[in-house]
């Protein structure tokens, strides 16, 4: 493993091995310190609770040292574009930032969200790609414009430890949110669910379709791994027979650069698309999942997130274990 950028860079066997390794790390205390004497940089262009804390703690538990950098905050503002004339507000280029940093550290984790300004550019993950281009140490994606693979691996571990290894009927449902959000989490969840052979249903209103290339990749993974995928805009029928409900809001790609139009477009969708007890009662006793942070009584009702079928805290804990498995393989 050279980098950890998206789950589809790896085959199912490799992902299953990482899950096994994470389960072992979770269940059995170990004196193994694969990061002893090593440092890992964590570069956060955006806020975080779970990713930052679980990476920092995971690196410590593996014997290493985390160096946290916040471009534009605790470190210089960063330019990533080739050939940029840097006479604006960007102080340092990634060409120097990455090549200096890797003289100190054994791997670099990067969080860089979509800004929802330019779909055609952002869908290519330009900042993450620039890190990869300049780095000779491993790059770990801590949520980019298009992918959040560490979250998806924690999600797959959570489904497995809660419901067992057999394939499940999994619903990824769009939910209303007051402002448009990036697509990384739904993209990575759907892709990983397809790679792990689950039967996947993706529910969203018309206008919130995922990226065409990503859908093609999901379909290819479904064909390779024995699952299925279907799409619906019927939020009520979507829950029938489902064993895993995964809720996440995302913005419409046609509204990048005009997010006020997205807010207007979704104005009437709030009531129908919330996850509530009525919808959960249609499922096959489904567990409820969300990557967090979550807006209570907007995305999901208190009754659902506080119910015994909610696994959101286990899901957050599992970030720690899967990331330790990934770091161990990358940095050993
Ligand atoms: N789920 C997740 O990535 O949480 P944070 O944004 O708090 O890191």
């Amino acid at each position: 493993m050279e980098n950890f950028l998206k789950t589809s860079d790896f085959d199912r066997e490799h992902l299953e091995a990482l899950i096994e390794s994470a389960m072992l790390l979770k269940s059995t205390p170990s004196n193994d310190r694969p990061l002893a004497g090593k440092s890992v940089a964590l570069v956060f262009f955006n806020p975080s609770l779970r990713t930052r804390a679980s990476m920092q703690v995971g690196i410590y538990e593996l014997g290493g040292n985390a160096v946290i950098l916040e471009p534009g905050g605790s470190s210089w503002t960063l330019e990533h574009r080739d050939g940029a004339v840097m006479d604006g507000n960007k102080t340092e280029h990634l060409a120097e930032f990455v090549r200096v940093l890797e003289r100190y550290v054994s791997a670099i984790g990067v969080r860089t969200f979509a800004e929802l300004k330019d779909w055609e550019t952002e869908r290519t993950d330009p900042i993450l790609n620039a890190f990869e281009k300049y780095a000779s140490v491993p790059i770990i994606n801590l949520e980019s414009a298009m992918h959040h693979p560490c979250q998806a691996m924690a999600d797959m571990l959570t489904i497995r430890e809660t419901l067992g290894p057999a394939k499940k009927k999994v619903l990824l449902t769009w939910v209303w949110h007051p402002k448009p959000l990036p697509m990384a989490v739904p993209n990575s969840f759907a892709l990983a669910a397809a790679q792990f052979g689950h039967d996947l249903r993706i529910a969203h209103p018309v206008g919130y379709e995922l990226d065409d290339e990503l859908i093609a990749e999901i379909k290819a993974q479904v064909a390779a791994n024995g699952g299925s995928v279907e799409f619906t805009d019927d939020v009520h029928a979507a829950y029938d027979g489902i064993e895993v409900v995964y809720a996440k809001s995302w913005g419409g790609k046609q509204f990048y650069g005009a997010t006020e139009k997205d807010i207007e477009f979704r104005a009437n969708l709030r009531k129908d698309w919330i996850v509530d007890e009525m919808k959960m009662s249609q499922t096959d006793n489904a567990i409820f999942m969300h990557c967090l942070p979550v807006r209570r009584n907007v995305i999901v009702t208190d009754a659902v997130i506080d119910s015994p079928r909610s696994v959101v805290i286990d899901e957050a804990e599992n970030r720690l274990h899967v990331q330790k498995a990934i770091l161990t393989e990358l940095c050993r």
Side-chain angles (χ1 to χ4, degrees), residues 47-52 111 143 148 151 291-293 319:
S48 167
L49 166 63
R50 280 142 289 271
T51 305
R52 180 172 170 152
R111 164 160 287 199
E143 187 172 347
H148 196 354
Q151 180 65 54
C291 62
L292 306 180
R319 293 291 304 277

Side-chain angles (χ1 to χ4, degrees), residues 69-238:
L69 298 165
E70 296 152 321
S74 59
S75 67
W76 305 112
T77 48
L78 285 177
E79 176 61 68
H80 68 278
R81 293 168 300 165
D82 287 339
V85 177
M86 292 172 55
D87 56 0
N89 59 3
K90 301 288 173 63
T91 306
E92 182 151 40
H93 199 282
L94 270 179
E96 286 74 50
F97 178 90
V98 170
R99 290 184 292 191
V100 168
L101 203 49
E102 69 181 16
R103 298 285 175 102
Y104 312 139
V105 302
S106 300
I108 303 174
V110 188
R111 164 160 287 199
T112 169
F113 289 172
E115 294 184 320
L116 283 71
K117 287 181 179 164
D118 174 358
W119 169 252
E120 287 306 326
T121 302
E122 292 179 43
R123 67 177 293 283
T124 67
D125 262 334
I127 298 178
L128 184 71
N129 291 341
F131 270 85
E132 189 195 1
K133 173 181 164 181
Y134 293 116
S136 57
V137 297
I139 299 294
I140 305 166
N141 184 352
L142 302 179
E143 187 172 347
S144 65
M146 287 296 278
H147 292 281
H148 196 354
C150 295
Q151 180 65 54
M153 289 298 285
D155 298 335
M156 293 305 116
L157 170 55
T158 308
I159 292 172
R160 181 171 172 163
E161 70 180 4
T162 312
L163 300 176
K167 72 171 175 175
K168 297 287 169 276
K169 293 185 174 64
V170 173
L171 170 66
L172 167 63
T173 178
W174 183 91
V175 275
W176 185 89
H177 188 280
K179 60 178 188 180
L181 298 176
M183 288 185 183
V185 168
N187 286 350
S188 283
F189 178 80
L191 194 52
Q195 288 187 266
F196 278 80
H198 293 299
D199 290 325
L200 176 63
R201 188 177 293 159
I202 301 178
H204 58 74
V206 172
Y208 291 90
E209 291 74 20
L210 299 176
D211 179 58
D212 289 340
E213 211 172 288
L214 183 97
I215 290 173
E217 198 172 11
I218 289 167
K219 287 179 176 171
Q221 292 291 355
V222 159
N225 292 297
S228 62
V229 64
E230 58 182 344
F231 298 85
T232 181
D233 62 359
D234 183 339
V235 67
H236 299 292

Side-chain angles (χ1 to χ4, degrees), residues 37-38 55 68 80 95 103 124 143 197 207 222 264 268 275 332:
K38 295 179 180 175
M55 284 298 288
I68 297 182
H80 68 278
R103 298 285 175 102
T124 67
E143 187 172 347
V222 159
E264 207 178 296
N268 296 328
V275 182
R332 200 181 273 282

Side-chain angles (χ1 to χ4, degrees), residues 261-278:
K261 289 194 180 140
D262 195 327
I263 292 166
E264 207 178 296
F265 188 84
R266 66 176 59 205
N268 296 328
L269 301 173
R270 178 171 183 165
K271 191 170 146 282
D272 270 352
W273 286 83
I274 190 170
V275 182
D276 58 18
E277 283 175 291
M278 180 70 85

Side-chain angles (χ1 to χ4, degrees), residues 10-18 195 225:
F10 308 98
D11 62 20
R12 181 174 178 178
E13 198 181 3
H14 196 152
L15 297 180
E16 297 269 14
L18 281 170
Q195 288 187 266
N225 292 297

